[in-house]
Amino acid sequence: MIEEERVGDVVVLRFAHGKASALDTEFLVELERRMRAFEEGDGRACILTGTGGIFSAGVDLKRLLDGGDDYLAEFLPALERAFTALFFSEKPVVGACNGHAIAGGCVILSCCDHRIGARGRGRIGVPELTVGVPFPPLALEIIRFATPSSHLQDTLYEGATFDMEQALARGLVDELSLPDELDDHAFAAAHRLARYPSGSFGFTTRLVRRPIADALAPHAERDRAELRALWGSAPVQDAIREYVERTLG
């Protein structure tokens, strides 16, 4: 599901889960495990990237529909844990977006400390509301953190996806690279961020992101219960089913 390579002091995690590296429970559990191992190991920085023309196409909606309430009860906590491990990492994480980063894939990319898009190689966006599902609280806060306020509301509410040039203009990536230079740019960014003393970088990123953890904590249990109820509700399930039939066949 995730191929791992060590190049010097940089850990590369390459998503390779089926055709689109869609997010299901097993993939999310493995992603969390790999990120925890990176945090505890001696790697200085991490690069997240995908396979072929896709970074990640987001939640596996067909699996979500087929799995029913029991699957949903496993999936949503796994999603939150994976996003938590990524977003609150205290070591540098670089996103090398090789292609489409849609919905949850865009959230994963937005967790990164530096995001590089491969020019002309895909689309980025968060169409959750057009699918019919509410944003998990942490996912929404990650997008709020990573997206300039001038573009936040229409990025969330319109649910559009953007080509790489548009994504750069809207702050969804930090820079663009030619596709065949993406790895080189990612390693250069990883080494730049890894040059700081690890304790200094970790303390700084913890302070930068602490307000999000503090804001979510008082409402966490209530929000989790409401989120699960909404995702499992008949209107949301019907909306997902209609979206899948319309777009995925």
Side-chain angles (χ1 to χ4, degrees):
M1 287 184 286
I2 299 175
E3 299 170 356
E4 183 168 338
E5 180 184 7
R6 178 72 178 261
V7 181
D9 56 4
V10 177
V11 175
V12 181
L13 299 181
R14 187 178 303 275
F15 305 153
H17 187 39
K19 180 180 178 180
S21 290
L23 308 184
D24 58 20
T25 300
E26 293 79 10
F27 178 83
L28 293 166
V29 168
E30 183 66 9
L31 179 57
E32 181 197 7
R33 187 185 74 81
R34 299 284 184 137
M35 285 304 301
R36 300 297 184 195
F38 163 63
E39 283 286 309
E40 295 168 5
D42 61 355
R44 297 274 297 167
C46 178
I47 295 172
L48 301 180
T49 192
T51 304
I54 297 179
F55 181 80
S56 171
V59 172
D60 187 336
L61 296 173
K62 290 185 177 180
R63 179 81 182 277
L64 196 69
L65 289 172
D66 292 342
D69 193 60
D70 288 343
Y71 178 75
L72 188 61
E74 296 178 348
F75 173 78
L76 287 175
L79 185 70
E80 181 178 351
R81 290 194 302 268
F83 288 164
T84 297
L86 284 165
F87 186 66
F88 294 107
S89 172
E90 295 190 7
K91 292 182 178 181
V93 180
V94 173
C97 189
N98 56 296
H100 300 301
I102 307 299
C106 181
V107 177
I108 289 174
L109 184 65
S110 297
C111 288
C112 298
D113 300 295
H114 190 74
R115 303 156 296 163
I116 309 168
R119 192 180 296 273
R121 285 291 298 272
R123 302 186 71 83
I124 300 175
V126 282
E128 275 81 349
L129 287 178
T130 64
V131 175
V133 298
F135 281 83
L138 178 56
L140 192 147
E141 291 303 326
I142 289 167
I143 296 298
R144 190 202 307 273
F145 177 85
T147 305
S149 59
S150 58
H151 294 298
L152 178 63
Q153 290 194 116
D154 65 310
T155 297
L156 294 173
Y157 299 156
E158 296 300 326
T161 62
F162 307 97
D163 64 32
M164 291 295 177
E165 286 73 16
Q166 293 170 322
L168 177 65
R170 300 176 70 89
L172 293 171
V173 294
D174 298 305
E175 64 170 304
L176 297 182
S177 165
L178 293 174
D180 60 358
E181 296 176 357
L182 180 63
D183 288 350
D184 290 341
H185 280 244
F187 276 103
H191 289 305
R192 283 199 309 273
L193 294 176
R195 73 184 185 272
Y196 306 116
S198 58
S200 298
F201 185 90
F203 183 72
T204 300
T205 192
R206 185 164 70 248
L207 293 182
V208 167
R209 300 182 182 206
R210 180 187 288 167
I212 293 176
D214 290 347
L216 290 172
H219 314 286
E221 291 306 315
R222 183 188 64 193
D223 287 347
R224 288 185 187 112
E226 185 173 358
L227 182 75
R228 180 177 172 185
L230 283 168
W231 276 55
S233 67
V236 171
Q237 290 287 303
D238 289 345
I240 296 172
R241 189 169 293 105
E242 180 184 343
Y243 179 87
V244 167
E245 291 173 354
R246 185 174 71 250
T247 61
L248 303 178

